[in-house]
């Protein structure tokens, strides 16, 4: 019976992991559709005073597409991007390429934390996922980069 419970927990977590991977792998296509002008020159600094594609809108997009579904603390992700690419105080120095690269570095680290190898002592365990009912809403501790 205990083995069956362990297997059910493992399968529940693996199902969540696949959902997280799907969200991450599709985020950049959604980003390109939402911010097509920024895709034209990805090495240009994202101007906060850009009325059609400001950095603040991009960060809201990242929050909606990744932070919420991935169980990320959005403030931690923004702090990571700021530390790496100097987005505050103004003027911001981050480019679209930096934003995409930063998200693509932060996200797999978060996924590794939430879905570590089965016998790992680092990150969330299958029992912890079960206690959250396999949802972000039930979590008490979130991935932190720092």
């Amino acid at each position: 019976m205990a083995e069956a419970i362990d297997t059910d927990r493992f399968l529940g977590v693996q199902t969540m992991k696949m959902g997280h991977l799907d969200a991450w792998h599709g985020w950049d296509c959604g980003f390109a559709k939402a911010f097509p002008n920024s895709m034209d020159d990805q090495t240009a600094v994202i101007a906060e005073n850009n009325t059609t594609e400001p950095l603040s809108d991009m960060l809201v997009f990242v929050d909606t597409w990744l932070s919420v579904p991935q169980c990320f603390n959005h403030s931690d992700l923004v702090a990571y991007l700021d530390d790496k690419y100097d987005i505050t105080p103004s003027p911001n120095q981050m480019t679209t390429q930096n934003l995409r690269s930063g998200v693509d570095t932060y996200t797999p680290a978060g996924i590794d934390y939430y879905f570590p190898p089965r016998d790992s002592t680092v990150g969330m365990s299958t029992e912890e996922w079960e206690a959250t009912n396999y949802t972000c809403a039930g979590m008490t501790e979130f991935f932190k980069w720092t």
Side-chain angles (χ1 to χ4, degrees):
M1 181 70 163
E3 188 175 319
I5 292 171
D6 286 344
T7 300
D8 284 348
R9 285 179 181 149
F10 177 75
L11 292 174
V13 171
Q14 289 305 303
T15 300
M16 283 199 67
K17 181 178 182 178
M18 292 303 117
H20 281 239
L21 290 172
D22 284 346
W24 174 41
H25 291 148
W27 92 274
D28 55 345
C29 292
F31 183 87
K33 281 184 181 179
F35 304 102
N37 296 334
S38 296
M39 299 303 289
D40 290 339
D41 182 5
Q42 294 187 46
T43 60
V45 171
I46 303 166
E48 189 54 49
N49 63 356
N50 179 335
T51 57
T52 58
E53 296 182 356
L55 176 60
S56 58
D57 286 0
M58 292 179 183
L59 293 175
V60 167
F61 178 90
V62 169
D63 185 37
T64 304
W65 270 73
L66 287 172
S67 296
V68 172
Q70 300 286 14
C71 308
F72 293 156
N73 176 322
H74 187 66
S75 298
D76 185 64
L77 173 56
V78 172
Y80 164 76
L81 293 171
D82 184 32
D83 184 52
K84 192 160 174 116
Y85 301 112
D86 194 24
I87 60 176
T88 57
S90 293
N92 156 51
Q93 297 300 308
M94 188 165 59
T95 67
T96 301
Q97 185 176 32
N98 294 152
L99 176 63
R100 294 177 69 206
S101 176
V103 167
D104 284 342
T105 301
Y106 185 94
T107 301
I111 290 173
D112 288 348
Y113 172 81
Y114 289 128
F115 308 103
R118 198 168 189 173
D119 295 328
S120 179
T121 58
V122 177
M124 285 188 66
S125 68
T126 54
E127 293 82 6
E128 289 170 312
W129 273 116
E130 182 181 42
T132 70
N133 286 322
Y134 303 99
T135 67
C136 300
M139 296 175 82
T140 58
E141 209 169 296
F142 296 88
F143 166 73
K144 284 195 170 228
W145 181 269
T146 53

